[in-house]
């Protein structure tokens, strides 16, 4: 079982409009509604790949009930979300069909009480013991300690369970210091963490801060991975246009899938890059175009060298 943690779950709503223009009314051509938050996106992709997944985090209010109801439709996914009094947030993605660009609006999330946080920690302690790997993903809702991910990383490591961290800002800075097995920042998050805008230098600096492996998402340039075994770059053969929301989450799913399948790092990165690219063609985050994924899997170019990083 792979455990995903989404402390700030969301109900993702995607609107498609012919052309997005400020200060005007728009007629929406298509609406999709899905369970969201980075960890739930990861969980749904993993389930689609055939893995058994348990999703935990928080859910509350009418939005939370809708989210949980929709999760029941995902085969292979077990809902272990902890109930809270506040309402789960919504995220709104507006896709401009004329350009393919997406505008994202993210609500802050419910305020988590100390009692609710304690209840989550107990649930997490119980779940992590039977996990093959753990993904800690996304932002922290109000009320959750800024060092939350550092605590969860240490708990997983104490249980001997590999842990991947995908967050940003101060939660990332503190989480990295707890020595996660993998961190997966994008270019901006990596630069904020290290102060360097040169990807290779920044990934090396992030490793010195505590991460065993750093996998950086570089947008259309693909993925860069650095660890003690070496360094590699993986990129799809062509750039796909569509909705990029959730592409990074699919990359996380690919990395975790490759980890539990005991793939070597180049094959893990190829899987992650192919999934990330195939997500751009899907209608919403947490999904991917399977035909495109299978085509790209053998076409992703992975270059690098086995050397001390």
């Amino acid at each position: 079982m792979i455990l995903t943690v989404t402390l700030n779950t969301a109900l993702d709503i995607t609107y498609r409009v012919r052309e997005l223009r400020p200060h005007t009314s728009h007629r929406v051509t298509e609406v999709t509604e899905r369970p969201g938050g980075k960890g739930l996106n990861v969980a749904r992709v993993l389930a689609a790949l055939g893995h058994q997944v348990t999703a935990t985090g928080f859910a509350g209010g009418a939005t939370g009930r809708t989210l949980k109801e929709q999760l029941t439709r995902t085969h292979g996914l077990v809902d272990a979300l902890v109930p809270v009094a506040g309402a789960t947030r919504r995220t709104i993605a507006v896709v401009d069909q004329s350009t393919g660009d997406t505008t994202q609006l993210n609500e802050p999330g419910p305020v988590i009480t100390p009692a609710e946080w304690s209840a989550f920690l107990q649930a997490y302690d119980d779940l992590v013991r039977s996990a093959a790997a753990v993904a800690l993903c996304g932002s922290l809702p109000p009320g959750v300690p800024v060092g939350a991910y550092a605590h969860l990383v240490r708990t997983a490591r104490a249980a001997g369970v590999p842990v991947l961290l995908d967050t940003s800002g101060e939660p990332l800075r503190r989480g990295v210091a707890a020595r996660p097995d993998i961190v997966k920042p994008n270019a901006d998050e990596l630069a904020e963490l290290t102060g360097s805008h040169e990807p290779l230098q920044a990934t090396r600096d992030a490793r010195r801060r505590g991460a065993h492996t750093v996998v950086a998402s570089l947008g259309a340039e693909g993925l860069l991975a650095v660890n003690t075994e070496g360094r590699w770059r993986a990129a799809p053969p062509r750039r796909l246009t569509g909705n990029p929301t959730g592409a990074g989450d699919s990359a996380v799913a690919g990395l975790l899938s490759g980890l539990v399948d005991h793939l070597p790092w180049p094959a893990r990165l190829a899987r992650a890059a192919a999934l990330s690219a195939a997500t751009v063609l899907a209608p919403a985050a947490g999904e991917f175009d399977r035909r495109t994924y299978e085509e790209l899997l053998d076409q992703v170019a992975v270059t690098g060298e086995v050397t001390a990083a």
Side-chain angles (χ1 to χ4, degrees):
M1 177 269 285
I2 300 175
L3 178 64
T4 69
V5 175
T6 316
L7 297 177
N8 210 6
T9 57
L11 187 66
D12 284 348
I13 302 168
T14 302
Y15 295 138
R16 294 181 180 271
V17 298
R18 290 188 175 87
E19 182 181 3
L20 182 62
R21 292 179 294 164
H23 317 301
T24 63
S25 297
H26 296 79
R27 189 175 297 279
V28 176
T29 61
E30 182 183 350
V31 181
T32 56
E33 186 178 85
R34 300 287 190 278
K38 294 178 72 65
L40 289 186
N41 294 337
V42 171
R44 290 167 59 222
V45 172
L46 284 168
L49 291 172
H51 294 281
Q52 294 299 308
V53 188
T54 297
T56 190
F58 296 113
T63 311
R65 288 192 294 273
T66 300
L67 181 150
K68 287 172 68 66
E69 179 185 350
Q70 294 195 7
L71 280 181
T72 63
R73 305 171 191 169
T74 303
H75 178 73
L77 191 154
V78 175
D79 172 8
L81 294 171
V82 175
V84 295
T88 295
R89 66 188 177 127
R90 297 161 297 177
T91 65
I92 310 297
V94 183
V95 179
D96 184 330
Q97 293 174 301
S98 67
T99 64
D101 293 335
T102 300
T103 299
Q104 191 84 14
L105 304 173
N106 297 326
E107 295 180 355
V111 176
I112 305 302
T113 68
E116 290 166 344
W117 176 238
S118 294
F120 169 79
L121 290 178
Q122 181 60 60
Y124 178 79
D125 287 346
D126 293 340
L127 290 167
V128 77
R129 296 185 188 128
S130 57
V134 179
L136 309 174
C137 303
S139 61
L140 301 180
V144 170
V146 71
Y149 282 134
H151 179 91
L152 300 182
V153 167
R154 288 191 291 268
T155 300
R157 288 183 56 78
V161 178
V163 56
L164 182 152
L165 176 63
D166 183 14
T167 187
S168 60
E170 188 62 21
L172 173 60
R173 190 179 307 277
R174 298 196 187 195
V176 165
R179 303 186 63 79
D181 295 272
I182 306 171
V183 294
K184 196 219 65 68
N186 61 32
D188 291 340
E189 292 162 350
L190 189 60
E192 181 183 7
L193 174 67
T194 65
S196 173
H197 291 271
E198 198 290 308
L200 184 57
Q201 178 60 42
T203 52
R204 287 172 166 167
D205 185 51
R207 284 201 64 245
R208 285 192 290 269
R209 292 168 183 264
H212 289 266
T213 297
V214 179
V215 181
S217 293
L218 305 178
E221 297 180 24
L223 302 171
L224 169 65
V226 179
N227 59 24
T228 56
E229 300 174 33
R231 61 177 182 264
W232 302 269
R233 284 182 181 266
R238 61 188 183 277
R239 183 171 185 172
L240 302 176
T241 58
N243 180 6
T245 306
D249 304 332
S250 290
V252 169
L255 293 172
L256 286 173
S257 175
L259 186 156
V260 300
D261 286 345
H262 306 291
L263 298 181
W265 269 104
R268 293 187 204 182
L269 292 173
R271 183 176 290 184
L275 279 170
S276 180
T279 296
V280 173
L281 299 182
E287 302 175 8
F288 62 94
D289 185 275
R290 186 171 293 274
R291 180 176 179 180
T292 300
Y293 163 65
E294 292 172 351
E295 290 175 352
L296 291 177
L297 193 56
D298 294 329
Q299 300 174 12
V300 170
V302 181
T303 60
E305 56 184 7
V306 177
T307 181

